[in-house]
């Protein structure tokens, strides 16, 4: 159980379904280019995604609820525990050792009903192993909301994409490392994906937006033997309960985020990760609201395929 209800709400984005409002995926300028190790470098900006994708958000929730944690926690929404993770935080599905050609296209995942997911298989999967990105939607969102924001890069970089749906309105997890039904569904979704797509085991990433980003930051480090990168777009916090492997991180956030202010989220998350010895690529977008930016998506795909 969470030590207090507000802490759980702060990590998930809200404890109740939304009544309206939206957040957006759109391109924006970079302001900070930094890494924990080695110099950062500015890349050519990616052409803007043609469509702006809308997904439900929780703007009606007061920022006191969204950001409030237990008063004894410093920083409020960030915790990284060393040691082995519990079984409730572990994934067991792994890429198949035998090459099996994939069938290109965007397919229903076909694992859960009625909340299921999408699976994108690039053309290159017919003849070779391909990278895989597991991308998690925000609270109240869906795989269909996320797909337009990453479609262009997935196609251009020949990256397979698994877009699972959370079991409930948002992703379920606790500071004790119990990721509940979402962990079990992700394991089943990955097992199905690995049978349908020839995935390169050295190039598997976990990413997410908002509550999905918080889930990725909290869950991914316990599965660093599977995920080489963790991508977090506008996260609210993280609670890591045990670690396996050494995944690297990309964190991106808008400086004018009106739902999850950057000073109480990413600007606390990134120093905590770096203090724990993690490699972190951090990007801030001046004037950006609660969004996923095309530049950040483009860089995430570049990092995934270039290792």
């Amino acid at each position: 159980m969470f030590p207090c209800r507000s802490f759980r709400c702060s990590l998930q984005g809200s404890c109740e379904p939304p009544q309206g409002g939206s957040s957006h995926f759109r391109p924006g300028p970079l302001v900070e280019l930094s890494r924990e190790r080695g110099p950062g470098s500015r890349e050519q900006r990616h052409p803007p995604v043609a469509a702006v994708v809308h997904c439900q958000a929780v703007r009606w929730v007061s920022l006191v609820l969204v950001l409030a944690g237990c008063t004894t926690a410093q920083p409020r929404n960030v915790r990284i525990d060393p040691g082995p993770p519990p079984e409730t935080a572990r994934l067991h599905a792994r890429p198949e050792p035998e090459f099996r050609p994939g069938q290109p296209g965007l397919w229903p995942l076909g694992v859960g009903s009625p909340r299921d997911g999408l699976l994108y298989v690039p053309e290159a999967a017919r003849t070779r192993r391909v990278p895989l990105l597991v991308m998690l939607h925000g609270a109240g969102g869906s795989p269909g909301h996320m797909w337009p924001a990453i479609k262009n890069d997935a196609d251009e970089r020949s990256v397979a994409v698994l877009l699972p749906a959370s079991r409930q309105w948002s992703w379920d997890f606790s500071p004790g490392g119990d990721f509940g039904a979402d962990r079990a569904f992700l394991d089943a979704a990955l097992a199905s994906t690995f049978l349908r797509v020839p995935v390169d085991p050295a190039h598997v990433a976990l990413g997410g937006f908002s509550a999905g980003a918080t889930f990725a930051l909290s869950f991914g480090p316990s599965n660093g033997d599977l995920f080489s990168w963790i991508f977090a777009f506008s996260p609210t916090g993280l609670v890591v309960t045990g670690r396996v492997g050494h995944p690297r991180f990309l964190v991106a956030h808008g400086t004018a985020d009106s739902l999850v202010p950057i000073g109480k989220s990413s600007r606390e998350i990134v120093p905590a990760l770096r203090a724990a010895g993690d490699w972190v690529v951090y990007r801030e977008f001046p004037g950006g609201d609660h969004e996923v930016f095309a530049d950040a998506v483009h860089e995430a795909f570049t990092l995934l395929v270039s290792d």
Side-chain angles (χ1 to χ4, degrees), residues 5-16 57-70 76-77 169 210-211 214 234-237 253 257-261 264-265 290:
R5 183 174 185 271
S6 61
F7 188 75
R8 182 171 189 170
C9 295
S10 71
L11 290 174
Q12 293 181 317
S14 170
C15 290
E16 305 293 341
V58 288
R59 295 183 181 279
W60 63 276
V61 181
S62 72
L63 291 179
V64 172
L65 177 63
V66 172
L67 295 174
C70 300
R76 296 185 186 93
N77 300 335
W169 174 76
S210 192
T214 301
S234 305
T236 64
H253 214 123
D257 192 326
S258 58
L259 178 63
V260 183
K264 296 297 184 180
S265 51
H290 197 60

Side-chain angles (χ1 to χ4, degrees), residues 94-115:
R94 293 295 184 271
E96 292 289 312
E98 180 182 352
F99 177 82
R100 298 176 181 177
Q103 182 62 39
L106 181 65
W107 305 96
L109 180 56
V111 174
S113 181
R115 295 183 65 83

